[in-house]
């Protein structure tokens, strides 16, 4: 099928044609009332566009439905006018729509009439009371010109449909405030996806680390009782990881789901017990009203503690670990320390500088919450120290 005829087989061509004709219905009703003042309908649009914010929403809904049916990103807003700039754009759109509707109505009526007149002239019969061709004399050669008005009508329907769609995107498109809001929403979605990916990394990474450490220790110990405890620890940690995985997948499936189900610092005993079962000698001290810590701070604090203990188990193994979590005044303090001699080995087997993705994630979490984090050697220990504001 030639490309020039493709619009004939697209439904959008006809919905756009209908959209162009809709204003003419109101004009037709008015012309029955007073044909001497055809400009009155265009004048009525001025107060509608300027004074009624909802007009913009109605026009946007019509434009999406008839001008861009089925398109996922129409670039046409369906929000009411938020200011005078939006109202002026709506007024310009209404007047442009009225003008283009007038053009298409003239083309729809008179171009087919002109084609019929040309056929009559080709048959050497001059039709009466048809003013399109005036005083032209009949001649058989007009048969070759008869299709031209229909081709012109086809071009007008397609061309004006494209023009009115472009004008709708321009005049009914999102305002600067709407674009900013959409950008902020998109940024929030990206941040949420990044946070979810990090949570999965922390949770699954912690579970796998515990499982690997426990399995290695059980094989080396050769003690049935120790093996039973190791398997119990692996089972418990794996079950917790599965719960985290189901919760995160639920968040992805239900974007509006509340975040209240995510673990917080009040659940930190799970992490401590998991580390102890894995062989680490954990000395934990929790002080202050942890239950009063704001949700975002408490959830991120839990993940920071999880990542810190995972790093100890992964890189240092069964070593003494000191955990201090305290709420004082308007801040949350979190500190995890373990002996430096075996902490965080680097690529060559030497002590690293804490440049891994886990420690970087801890620092990023702290910064996002307006706090700060220090990771690295401190007085013979490897230290993770985080301060987060509560307000």
């Amino acid at each position: 099928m030639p490309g020039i005829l493709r619009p004939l087989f697209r439904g959008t061509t006809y919905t756009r044609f209908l959209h162009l004709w809709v204003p003419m219905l109101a004009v037709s009703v008015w012309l029955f009332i007073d044909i001497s003042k055809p400009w009155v309908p265009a004048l009525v649009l001025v107060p509608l566009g300027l004074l009624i914010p909802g007009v913009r929403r109605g026009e946007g809904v019509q434009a999406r439905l008839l001008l861009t049916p089925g398109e996922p990103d129409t670039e046409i807003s369906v929000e009411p006018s938020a200011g005078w700039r939006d109202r002026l754009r709506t007024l310009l759109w209404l007047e442009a729509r009225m003008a283009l509707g007038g053009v298409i109505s003239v083309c729809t009526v008179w171009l087919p009439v002109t084609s019929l007149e040309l056929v009559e002239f080709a048959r050497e019969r001059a039709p009466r009371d048809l003013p399109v061709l005036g005083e032209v004399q009949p001649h058989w050669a007009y048969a070759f010109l008869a299709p031209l008005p229909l081709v012109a009508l086809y071009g007008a329907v397609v061309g004006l449909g494209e023009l009115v769609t472009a004008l709708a995107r321009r005049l009914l498109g999102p305002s600067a405030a709407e674009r900013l809001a959409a950008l902020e929403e998109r940024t929030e979605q990206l941040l949420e996806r990044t946070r979810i990916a990090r949570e999965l990394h922390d949770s699954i990474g912690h579970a796998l680390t515990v499982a690997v450490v426990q399995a290695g220790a059980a094989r080396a110990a050769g003690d049935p009782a120790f093996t039973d405890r190791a398997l119990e620890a692996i089972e418990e940690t794996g079950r917790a990881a599965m719960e985290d995985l189901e919760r995160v997948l639920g968040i992805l499936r239900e974007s509006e789901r509340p975040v209240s189900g995510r673990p917080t610092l009040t659940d930190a005993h799970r992490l401590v017990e998991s580390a102890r079962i894995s062989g680490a000698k954990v000395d934990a001290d929790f002080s202050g009203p942890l239950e009063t810590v704001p949700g975002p701070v408490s959830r991120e604090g839990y993940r920071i503690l999880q990542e810190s203990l995972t790093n100890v188990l992964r890189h240092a193994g069964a070593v003494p670990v000191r955990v201090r979590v305290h709420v004082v005044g308007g801040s949350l303090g979190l500190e995890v320390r373990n002996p430096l001699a075996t902490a965080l080995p680097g690529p060559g087997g030497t002590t690293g500088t804490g440049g891994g993705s886990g420690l970087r994630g801890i620092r990023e979490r702290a910064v996002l919450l307006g706090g700060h984090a220090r990771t690295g050697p401190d007085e013979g220990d490897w230290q993770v120290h985080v301060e987060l504001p509560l307000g």
Side-chain angles (χ1 to χ4, degrees), residues 265 268-269 271-273 275-276 280-287 301 304-306 308-309 312 320-326 333-338 384:
L265 283 175
H269 63 278
L271 300 176
V272 173
E273 289 303 316
R276 284 173 176 164
K281 304 173 180 64
V282 183
D283 175 20
D285 179 26
F286 297 89
S287 61
I304 290 172
L305 178 59
Q306 184 180 54
S308 301
L309 291 175
V312 173
V321 184
R322 285 179 291 171
V323 175
R324 299 289 182 267
V325 180
H326 57 272
L334 188 151
E335 184 178 71
V336 178
R337 303 176 72 96
N338 60 282
V384 174

Side-chain angles (χ1 to χ4, degrees), residues 210-267:
V210 170
V212 170
V213 171
Q214 288 290 341
R219 185 177 61 179
D223 181 0
F226 183 87
T227 300
D228 288 341
R229 291 197 300 273
L231 291 175
E232 181 182 352
I234 292 173
E235 180 184 5
E236 181 179 345
T237 306
R239 186 179 293 110
M242 286 296 297
E243 291 176 359
D244 275 350
L245 181 60
E246 286 294 329
R247 177 183 51 76
V248 171
L249 292 178
I251 293 172
L252 289 175
R253 286 192 296 264
E254 305 173 30
S255 59
E256 301 300 323
R257 183 177 176 177
V259 298
S260 57
R262 300 172 188 167
T264 64
L265 283 175
T266 57
D267 305 307

Side-chain angles (χ1 to χ4, degrees), residues 167-203:
L167 285 175
R169 290 192 171 106
R170 180 73 175 177
L171 297 175
L172 297 178
S175 63
E178 290 172 337
R179 291 183 186 278
L180 180 59
L183 180 60
E184 290 177 349
E185 182 180 356
R186 175 62 176 164
T187 302
E188 288 295 328
Q189 290 175 351
L190 292 176
L191 288 175
E192 179 71 4
R193 289 184 178 276
T194 301
R195 187 197 58 73
I196 288 174
R198 186 174 291 157
E199 281 199 14
L200 279 177
H201 169 270
D202 293 347
S203 181

Side-chain angles (χ1 to χ4, degrees), residues 118-136:
L118 290 172
V119 171
E120 291 296 318
F121 277 114
R123 297 171 63 188
E124 297 187 353
R125 292 192 305 180
R128 297 179 180 180
D129 301 326
L130 293 177
V132 176
L133 294 179
E135 301 297 329
V136 176

